[in-house]
């Protein structure tokens, strides 16, 4: 188990495999082990870096509220700490799609490809709750013992909405992570910053174009929602990306269709065989 400091905060990170580097960043409230089904498919061909953002997984709490620029620089700082300068394929799931795209825009010389896995999309973002409200809510819930009592059960319920219908993560790791007040607080704080991070990314799009010719893939899980598919296709058009639908799959594409995620990483911007 490895921890590196980025911005003064200890970050839990795993590095496996060999070859060109890819960085995997999961969605809100998820952990490094949520990429477990994908890693064996990538490790023979890629150096696979997984990390927990502050307040997620095993990483320490955040030192400052998240921003689009800050999350992009976090990925760069993590690679610096590991001695992996790049260029890298950066993969962002859900809210981490914002972070991955921001990295590609702010660190174009370090980006080999961009893969967005059922990424969050906000055409007209609104600021969320203040971090003060999120901190107060977290304090109340933690004082009531909610993480220890319900944390793992809430995690399992969320995963049951995926196509696999069960949580493949080791039960001991789920308990270790989701029974903690740290992870509940971290998830609430990141969620409170969702609208601000989305707005920050829109501002970056105006000032920092993606590198010319960068392979970009929008891998979406429409799951029967025509509106979600339209929004994902619109995102692909805006980024000049290849669009692919992961079917059948729920939002946790890395659990439902690890093969499709792996192919998107190994052959970015190309049609699946």
């Amino acid at each position: 188990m490895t921890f590196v400091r980025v911005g003064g905060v200890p970050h839990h990170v795993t590095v496996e495999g060999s070859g060109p580097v890819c960085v995997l960043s999961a969605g809100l409230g998820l952990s490094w082990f949520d990429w477990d089904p994908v890693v064996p498919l990538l490790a023979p061909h890629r150096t696979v870096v997984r990390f927990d953002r502050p307040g997620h997984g095993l990483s320490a709490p955040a030192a400052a509220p998240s921003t689009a620029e800050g999350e992009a620089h976090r990925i760069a700082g993590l690679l610096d700490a590991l001695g992996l300068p790049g260029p890298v394929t950066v993969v962002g799931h859900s809210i981490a799609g914002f972070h991955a795209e921001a990295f590609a825009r702010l660190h174009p010389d370090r980006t080999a490809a961009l893969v967005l896995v059922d990424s969050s999309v906000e055409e007209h973002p609104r600021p969320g709750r203040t971090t003060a409200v999120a901190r107060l809510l977290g304090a109340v819930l933690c004082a009531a013992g909610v993480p220890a009592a319900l944390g793992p059960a809430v995690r399992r319920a969320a995963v049951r909405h995926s196509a696999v219908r069960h949580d493949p993560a080791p039960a001991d790791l789920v308990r270790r992570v989701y029974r903690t007040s740290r992870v509940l607080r971290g998830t609430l704080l990141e969620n409170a910053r969702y609208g601000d991070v989305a707005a920050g990314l829109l501002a970056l799009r105006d000032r920092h174009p993606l590198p010319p010719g960068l392979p970009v893939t929008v891998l979406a899980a429409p799951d029967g929602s025509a509106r979600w598919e339209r929004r994902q296709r619109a995102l692909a058009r805006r980024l000049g990306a290849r669009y692919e639908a992961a079917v059948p799959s729920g939002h946790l594409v890395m659990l439902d269709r690890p093969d499709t995620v792996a192919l998107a990483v190994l052959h970015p911007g190309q049609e699946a065989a």
Side-chain angles (χ1 to χ4, degrees):
M1 189 174 299
T2 302
F3 289 84
V4 297
R5 284 189 174 271
V6 179
V9 177
H11 288 62
H12 171 242
V13 60
T14 68
V15 182
E16 299 151 276
S18 61
V21 178
C22 66
V23 180
L24 310 180
S25 186
L28 179 70
L30 300 179
S31 300
W32 85 98
F33 51 71
D34 287 301
W35 294 102
D36 278 355
V38 179
V39 173
L41 305 176
L42 292 178
H45 316 284
R46 295 288 187 272
T47 299
V48 183
V49 177
R50 294 180 283 170
F51 73 102
D52 293 321
R53 293 188 301 280
H56 288 62
L58 300 179
S59 292
S66 59
T67 64
E69 290 191 9
E71 296 303 325
H73 296 326
R74 185 188 312 284
I75 296 171
L78 183 80
L79 293 169
D80 290 340
L82 294 171
L84 301 171
V88 307
T89 296
V90 59
V91 184
H93 167 253
S94 195
I95 192 175
F98 291 159
H99 311 159
E101 183 185 337
F103 175 86
R105 293 182 181 280
L106 291 173
H107 300 276
D109 56 328
R110 303 184 71 169
T111 308
L114 172 63
V115 179
L116 303 179
V117 180
D118 214 38
S119 176
S120 297
V121 180
E122 291 298 332
E123 298 86 354
H124 307 287
R126 299 176 181 177
R129 295 174 300 175
T130 66
T131 54
V133 172
R135 291 182 191 279
L136 176 60
L137 178 59
V140 171
L141 293 175
C142 292
V146 169
L150 298 178
V154 171
R155 150 80 193 195
R156 287 193 293 271
V159 173
R160 278 199 292 272
H161 288 287
S162 68
V164 295
R165 301 295 182 185
H166 71 281
D167 191 347
D172 60 331
L173 288 180
V174 170
R175 288 192 297 270
R176 180 179 180 184
V177 169
Y178 291 95
R179 284 175 58 87
T180 66
S181 61
R182 172 180 46 79
V183 169
L184 173 62
R185 294 172 189 265
T187 301
L188 289 172
L189 286 172
E190 187 170 86
N191 184 61
R193 294 290 299 171
Y194 177 89
D196 299 271
V197 173
L201 177 61
L202 290 189
L204 289 179
R205 286 176 179 171
D206 293 335
R207 303 194 307 269
H208 299 276
L210 290 173
L214 178 73
V216 181
T217 301
V218 170
L219 179 58
D223 197 25
S225 171
R227 181 173 182 270
W228 184 241
E229 182 171 18
R230 285 196 301 270
R231 296 177 72 192
Q232 290 286 314
R233 286 186 179 276
L235 174 64
R237 288 193 297 271
R238 179 162 191 172
L239 301 182
R242 179 180 71 85
Y243 173 85
E244 181 178 353
V247 180
S249 178
H251 182 52
L252 302 181
V253 187
M254 65 279 268
L255 302 184
D256 295 339
R257 295 298 306 271
D259 56 333
T260 304
V261 175
L263 285 173
V265 174
L266 295 174
H267 306 287
Q270 299 180 21
E271 293 291 340

